Amino acid sequence: PPPGAWLTALPHHVAPAAAAAVPAAAPPPGRKGVPRAGTATRAQRRPQLKRGVAPSDIAAAVESLYRDDIRPYGRILRKRLLDRAEAASGGKLDIDLKTLRATCEVCAWLKVEATDDGDWAVLLPGRPADFVDVYSPEDVYP
């Protein structure tokens, strides 16, 4: 099957994780809770809550790392998901690595593999794990 064909088998009822939340309306001017000019509101100071990511978004991010020949380590997968979410919605969010790993572990189409240094990677079973070794002194690209 062509690369990415397995994505069509994902459940379509899962909402994309990058969906932007509708911002709350600000209180009318002169009312309690209206910030002074130049100060951040409580919502602006508070980081977004850590939340899970839709399996379809994880699968698409892993597929994109495979296309780039980058081994999808947990921290790299998290960064790719954050980049994709920001590009889709323009907003920033925080993805908890423990929740991300737990979500990957329950996905039948993904294989979580622990590494010797305590890190972990997400692989696609049945696909060759042929990634660029960023620490290799040999440059295979001229």
Side-chain angles (χ1 to χ4, degrees), residues 49-134:
L49 297 175
K50 294 180 181 181
R51 61 185 175 90
V53 180
S56 58
D57 290 337
I58 294 171
V62 170
E63 181 70 36
S64 74
L65 289 168
Y66 264 75
R67 279 193 306 271
D68 294 340
D69 296 327
I70 299 172
R71 186 174 187 84
Y73 288 107
R75 65 194 186 308
I76 296 173
L77 174 59
R78 178 181 175 270
K79 176 67 174 141
R80 180 63 56 100
L81 285 163
L82 292 172
D83 290 346
R84 291 170 62 94
E86 187 173 350
S89 68
K92 294 191 178 219
L93 63 119
D94 190 13
I95 299 171
D96 179 51
L97 271 175
K98 289 180 183 179
T99 304
L100 177 59
R101 181 175 182 162
T103 305
C104 292
E105 287 174 339
V106 298
C107 292
W109 59 87
L110 299 174
K111 177 186 174 196
V112 176
E113 182 180 88
T115 62
D116 294 334
D117 60 358
D119 205 354
W120 52 279
V122 180
L123 302 176
L124 298 173
R127 292 276 298 274
D130 187 27
F131 304 110
V132 174
D133 181 3
V134 295

